[in-house]
Amino acid sequence: METATSLFKVEKASFSAHGKFLLTGEYAVLDNVDALAIPLKLDQRLEIVPRSDESIQWTSYNVDGTIWFQDSFEIEQITDVRFKGESDVSKKLIEILRTALELVGLVNFSNGFEATTQLDFDYKSGMGTSSTLISMVSQWLGCDPYELQFKCFGGSGYDIACAQADSPIVYNYNDGQPQVVPISYQPEFKDHLFFVYLNQKQDSRDSIASFNPDNLTQENRDRLNEMPKTFLETEVDLSAFQELLQKHEAIIGELILMQPVKKAQFPEYVGAIKSLGGWGGDYVMVTGDEIAQQYFVGKGFTQIYSWNDVVLD
C-alpha cells in the first residue's frame, strides 16, 4: 500500500533551462574527450499547476506559439509499466516522469497536474528540447539530471551541463561522472559569427549509434583535447580561428568517415563553416558578416542567428 511519503505532492511551480551548442569535440565527447560547449539565452520553460483530480494534462508550445505536443493520461498509469502512451513523444515523456520518480524513491504523484512548456527555439532545431526538459523535470522532482539523462537518452551529458550553466564550459563525460569547468569565452570577432539551421533535425541517438570510438586515434584524441584551449587562444584572431575550424572539421571527418559540411554543401563559400553536434543536420557555425548571411538565405537556409542573438553572455 502506498504511503503519503512515497508520493510527490504537486504544487504550483515553474522552471527554466538553457538550450546549447557544442563547439568542439562532437562525437568524441562520448569517449571522455574535453569539449567546449556554450549555453544559449534561448530557453525552455515549464509551468506546473496542480489539479484536484488524478489527470495529467501536458501541453508543449513551439517558439511560434503553436502546440507541437499535447496529451493527457492518469497518474495511475505512471506506475503501470504496461502503459507506454500513444505517440513516441508520449512514451518518452512517461519514461522520463517514471524514471525521475524512481530515482528519488517516490512511487507516484499525489494528485494530477497541468504542465505547460514553452520554447524559445524551434523544437526540431537540435538546440536542446529534450535536454532542457530533462533539466527542468530534475529540478522539479529533485533527481540527478545526468542520471536521468543517461537512463532515458544516453549521450554525453554536455547538454545537461549547459542547461543550468551561466557561462561557456569545458565538459568531460568522465565515464559517466561528468566534470564541468566554467570558462569565459568572448571572441572579439563575434560580430562575424553566426549560426545556420540546415533544415534537417538530427536524432541524437542516431548520432551516438554512428560513433565508433575505435576510429579515434590517440593523435586525434590529443588534438581534440587541446581544442577548447586553442579556441580560447584564438579569441582575438579571426584568421587563426577559421584555420582552427577547418582543422577540427578534418579531424571529425576522419573520425566518422564523412565529408565536412563546407566541402560537401558549400565549397564556394569564402568563410569557415563548422558542424555543431550531429553532422548532416541541425546547426552549423559560420564566419562572415551580414552580407555573407545572404549566401545561405539564397540557398533556402533562412533560420539564421547571430552570435549575439543566441549565446548567453
Side-chain angles (χ1 to χ4, degrees), residues 6-23:
S6 67
L7 301 177
F8 183 86
K9 183 179 180 181
V10 179
E11 298 176 337
K12 188 173 183 179
S14 60
F15 307 91
S16 65
H18 304 309
K20 47 66 182 180
F21 279 144
L22 183 65
L23 297 192

Side-chain angles (χ1 to χ4, degrees), residues 53-74:
D53 59 15
E54 297 188 346
S55 177
I56 296 174
Q57 307 280 341
W58 198 286
T59 306
S60 296
Y61 289 91
N62 202 13
V63 62
D64 61 1
T66 59
I67 294 173
W68 73 268
F69 169 72
Q70 191 169 42
D71 200 0
S72 62
F73 42 92
E74 300 300 307

Side-chain angles (χ1 to χ4, degrees), residues 90-101:
S90 295
K91 291 175 184 176
K92 184 55 68 173
L93 173 61
I94 292 163
E95 178 189 352
I96 291 169
L97 294 175
R98 183 180 292 153
T99 303
L101 289 169

Side-chain angles (χ1 to χ4, degrees), residues 31-185:
D31 200 41
N32 300 335
V33 165
D34 283 350
L36 173 60
I38 51 175
L40 305 181
K41 61 179 69 172
L42 306 181
D43 293 350
Q44 182 168 204
R45 292 170 296 284
L46 170 65
E47 297 283 341
I48 301 292
V49 178
R51 295 172 60 95
S52 59
D53 59 15
E54 297 188 346
S55 177
I56 296 174
Q57 307 280 341
W58 198 286
T59 306
S60 296
Y61 289 91
N62 202 13
V63 62
D64 61 1
T66 59
I67 294 173
W68 73 268
F69 169 72
Q70 191 169 42
D71 200 0
S72 62
F73 42 92
E74 300 300 307
I75 59 174
E76 66 180 16
Q77 293 173 309
I78 293 289
T79 59
D80 184 356
V81 294
R82 298 168 299 176
F83 179 71
K84 303 296 185 182
E86 296 291 331
S87 66
D88 288 343
V89 177
S90 295
K91 291 175 184 176
K92 184 55 68 173
L93 173 61
I94 292 163
E95 178 189 352
I96 291 169
L97 294 175
R98 183 180 292 153
T99 303
L101 289 169
E102 290 172 353
L103 288 176
V104 293
L106 296 172
V107 173
N108 208 337
F109 300 99
S110 65
N111 53 293
F113 56 90
E114 295 176 5
T116 304
T117 65
Q118 174 66 60
L119 284 162
D120 291 339
F121 51 87
D122 191 281
Y123 77 98
K124 296 182 292 185
S125 68
M127 285 183 171
T129 304
S130 298
S131 57
T132 51
L133 178 62
I134 289 284
S135 175
M136 294 185 297
V137 169
S138 299
Q139 294 173 57
W140 177 34
L141 298 182
C143 66
D144 183 298
Y146 294 108
E147 196 170 0
L148 184 59
Q149 169 76 6
F150 297 151
K151 284 182 175 291
C152 293
F153 287 101
S156 71
Y158 86 88
D159 43 4
I160 300 301
C162 283
Q164 292 300 309
D166 296 322
S167 70
I169 60 171
V170 175
Y171 179 87
N172 193 290
Y173 173 64
N174 191 35
D175 291 326
Q177 301 296 320
Q179 295 177 340
V180 182
V181 179
I183 62 169
S184 173
Y185 182 55

Side-chain angles (χ1 to χ4, degrees), residues 135-307:
S135 175
M136 294 185 297
V137 169
S138 299
Q139 294 173 57
W140 177 34
L141 298 182
C143 66
D144 183 298
Y146 294 108
E147 196 170 0
L148 184 59
Q149 169 76 6
F150 297 151
K151 284 182 175 291
C152 293
F153 287 101
S156 71
Y158 86 88
D159 43 4
I160 300 301
C162 283
Q164 292 300 309
D166 296 322
S167 70
I169 60 171
V170 175
Y171 179 87
N172 193 290
Y173 173 64
N174 191 35
D175 291 326
Q177 301 296 320
Q179 295 177 340
V180 182
V181 179
I183 62 169
S184 173
Y185 182 55
Q186 295 285 339
E188 288 190 3
F189 43 82
K190 57 187 177 182
D191 288 344
H192 283 70
L193 293 175
F194 58 93
F195 305 97
V196 181
Y197 182 55
L198 297 184
N199 300 338
Q200 183 178 343
K201 173 70 177 78
Q202 291 296 101
D203 189 314
S204 299
R205 283 166 289 184
D206 290 343
S207 297
I208 292 167
S210 69
F211 169 63
N212 182 358
D214 292 340
N215 294 334
L216 183 59
T217 65
Q218 188 59 50
E219 179 185 1
N220 281 340
R221 174 185 290 277
D222 293 341
R223 293 166 71 189
L224 289 171
N225 269 323
E226 288 294 311
M227 280 291 171
K229 184 177 77 170
T230 313
F231 264 57
L232 295 176
E233 292 171 348
T234 59
E235 277 184 304
V236 299
D237 189 336
L238 177 58
S239 178
F241 178 74
Q242 292 185 125
E243 291 181 13
L244 183 62
L245 294 190
Q246 293 171 4
K247 291 177 182 177
H248 193 291
E249 287 284 275
I251 295 171
I252 301 300
E254 290 179 13
L255 177 61
I256 62 173
L257 307 179
M258 285 182 65
Q259 275 193 337
V261 65
K262 179 177 178 178
K263 185 175 182 180
Q265 293 184 246
F266 311 107
E268 70 279 12
Y269 184 72
V270 294
I273 305 175
K274 183 191 179 302
S275 291
L276 303 175
W279 280 31
D282 290 352
Y283 277 84
V284 292
M285 180 170 63
V286 185
T287 64
D289 55 19
E290 290 186 8
I291 296 175
Q293 294 180 20
Q294 296 308 307
Y295 165 86
F296 294 93
V297 173
K299 288 185 171 291
F301 302 105
T302 58
Q303 196 166 318
I304 299 174
Y305 292 102
S306 71
W307 178 280

